Amino acid sequence: MFNSTIDMFMKKILAAAAMALVSAGAFAQSDILLDNPENEIYIGVRAGLDISSATPSGFDNSAGFSIGGIVNVPLYKNFYIEPGIGIFYNTVGVDTKGLESEYPDADIDASLRFLGVRIPVVAGYHFDFTPDLNVAVFTGPEMNIGTSGKYHLNVNGESGSESVYGSGGTFKRFDMDWKFGVGVNYRQFHFDVAGGVGMIDISKNMPGEKFRLNRVSFTLGYNF
């Protein structure tokens, strides 16, 4: 479980930024280019590992994935905007201590499972170390639209699930987080690590509680 989700995000992203800058410095053969005249629009594909957590307490971090595409549009010097679209499957573990009285001496596992469409729109700036290598920092909003959401319960190997969306559901389909991260582009290959901090309470019937989804993503990609 995350003791402090936002602190964990920042530590991972700052560590990745430091590693990227050290690697870039090792390969650099000329001064950093801050206004590359060869900047041009391009598209790319992305696939990432997502580690999700939720607030309030009672939920555990769990893994998922996302795949999609982006369009990188230069704006001014090395500033750019990068909208994208993709699909995600993210999970969050549920603390089962409250179920122990209902299922005594049972092996219990519970989770929330979300499938949907993700639409990030980030702005960033890249530092060009060589013609083949740049490092970018970026930030911006990211919309998440749930198409399927399940509460999954496994008791002694017997599984069942129920929808968390709809008129009688627990959660809203629309969510938004604020994304920030650092990325490395080497030739056509891309890697980034990013955090997404939940901005919206997506709970519908949790009195006194605000449910926000947060995420750390490790993403690989290819630029065309």
Side-chain angles (χ1 to χ4, degrees):
M1 181 180 295
F2 293 128
N3 293 325
S4 175
T5 301
I6 295 177
D7 286 348
M8 187 277 300
F9 285 171
M10 291 299 297
K11 288 177 181 178
K12 284 184 175 291
I13 291 170
L14 289 173
M19 291 177 64
L21 290 173
V22 169
S23 299
F27 284 103
Q29 299 175 0
S30 60
D31 293 337
I32 299 174
L33 186 60
L34 302 180
D35 183 8
N36 191 337
E38 297 184 2
N39 287 330
E40 59 182 17
I41 188 170
Y42 64 83
I43 62 174
V45 292
R46 302 287 186 263
L49 169 68
D50 297 339
I51 307 298
S52 300
S53 71
T55 53
S57 60
F59 299 94
D60 298 328
N61 55 298
S62 190
F65 67 88
S66 57
I67 57 174
I70 59 91
V71 179
N72 186 288
V73 182
L75 295 178
Y76 175 71
K77 294 188 176 181
N78 285 1
F79 287 101
Y80 65 89
I81 187 169
E82 188 175 276
I85 189 168
I87 62 173
F88 67 88
Y89 178 74
N90 290 164
T91 63
V92 178
V94 177
D95 190 342
T96 59
K97 290 182 180 179
L99 300 174
E100 292 176 352
S101 59
E102 186 176 352
Y103 302 99
D105 301 319
D107 184 14
I108 308 171
D109 181 71
S111 61
L112 295 170
R113 304 179 178 187
F114 300 100
L115 174 69
V117 177
R118 179 165 291 151
I119 306 173
V121 182
V122 301
Y125 186 90
H126 57 85
F127 302 86
D128 294 8
F129 289 86
T130 75
D132 292 330
L133 177 68
N134 70 53
V135 175
V137 291
F138 54 85
T139 188
E142 189 170 56
M143 293 175 287
N144 302 281
I145 303 169
T147 58
S148 174
K150 301 287 186 181
Y151 171 70
H152 185 83
L153 179 65
N154 184 299
V155 181
N156 291 333
E158 296 186 7
S159 299
S161 61
E162 62 181 27
S163 176
V164 298
Y165 292 144
S167 58
T170 308
F171 298 110
K172 306 168 188 174
R173 293 181 182 272
F174 180 80
D175 188 18
M176 179 176 288
D177 60 75
W178 193 266
K179 183 177 181 178
F180 54 97
V182 58
V184 178
N185 293 292
Y186 178 68
R187 295 183 178 176
Q188 274 70 50
F189 298 97
H190 172 88
F191 169 75
D192 72 64
V193 57
V197 179
M199 299 171 62
I200 295 178
D201 174 16
I202 64 170
S203 67
K204 292 170 62 176
N205 55 5
M206 297 173 65
E209 299 281 9
K210 292 184 178 181
F211 187 94
R212 291 187 172 92
L213 286 171
N214 309 296
R215 189 182 69 260
V216 169
S217 298
F218 302 89
T219 301
L220 296 174
Y222 188 86
N223 302 322
F224 296 94

